[in-house]
Amino acid sequence: MPALALCGAEKTFTMHLRGGLRLPVVRGVDFTVEPGECVVLSGPSGAGKSSILKMIWGTYRCDRGAILVRDGDGTTDVATASPREILDLRRRVIASVSQFLRVVPRVPALDVVVEPLGPAASDAGRAAAQDMLRRLALPERLWGLPPATFSGGEQQRINIARGFLPERPILL
């Protein structure tokens, strides 16, 4: 059973300020992602890559088709799931990394990475965060500094590390 499957996914936006113009941004998208597989969405700007990711994440509703996410022994269709079901999937199954790091200013990088684990982050959680920062080649001397002082690439690595904690089967 795939970890993720898009079956005929479609999304159209209605431009209300342009007389109701309908703008189809995603049409008939079909693909599967197996557990452990890394998939890249590539294409020119405006091709719908971000819209596809937002449909998987549940921010954009699918107009047609299905977005099937493996959830333990079952499957949840994000296209028809309730908001509560989508939030539950985000807590347990799907993680997302934005291209922009938005965090509270002056918070040390290590604390930013640990934050998704919640206020009761254990020593094991902090150790996992440190391990992830090492794996992403973020120098230890930066861990106590706020990410706002980092280069764009360093900020992106902080964002990726946050996406991996807590560990979930799907990372967008």
Side-chain angles (χ1 to χ4, degrees):
M1 177 187 329
L4 174 67
L6 275 74
C7 309
E10 296 189 9
K11 179 67 181 169
T12 299
F13 291 104
T14 302
M15 310 301 286
H16 297 287
L17 296 177
R18 305 265 336 262
L21 174 72
R22 296 187 44 81
L23 184 64
V25 293
V26 175
R27 283 217 160 135
V29 174
D30 294 293
F31 66 85
T32 60
V33 181
E34 297 298 327
E37 188 176 21
C38 179
V39 175
V40 174
L41 296 178
S42 66
S45 181
K49 301 176 301 289
S50 293
S51 293
I52 291 168
L53 291 172
K54 288 176 181 181
M55 288 190 314
I56 296 168
W57 182 244
T59 305
Y60 288 175
R61 283 306 224 177
C62 213
D63 294 333
R64 278 196 175 83
I67 300 172
L68 306 174
V69 174
R70 179 194 227 166
D71 187 5
D73 292 333
T75 302
T76 298
D77 185 354
V78 174
T80 59
S82 72
R84 288 190 190 276
E85 290 172 310
I86 291 170
L87 288 174
D88 189 47
L89 277 178
R90 290 176 186 170
R91 276 191 284 278
R92 298 179 301 99
V93 181
I94 304 173
S96 176
V97 175
S98 163
Q99 60 185 328
F100 305 106
L101 179 63
R102 293 183 180 98
V103 295
V104 176
R106 295 182 293 282
V107 173
L110 181 60
D111 292 341
V112 168
V113 173
V114 171
E115 187 269 332
L117 296 175
S122 65
D123 288 341
R126 289 187 78 75
Q130 291 170 341
D131 181 55
M132 185 58 61
L133 290 173
R134 279 188 199 93
R135 290 173 57 198
L136 293 170
L138 190 78
E140 195 167 336
R141 63 184 163 70
L142 297 179
W143 297 0
L145 300 175
T149 63
F150 296 1
S151 72
E154 291 164 340
Q155 288 184 24
Q156 186 65 28
R157 285 182 271 165
I158 294 293
N159 226 5
I160 292 168
R162 281 174 56 91
F164 277 105
L165 296 175
E167 199 170 312
R168 284 160 284 192
I170 298 174
L171 176 62
L172 304 175

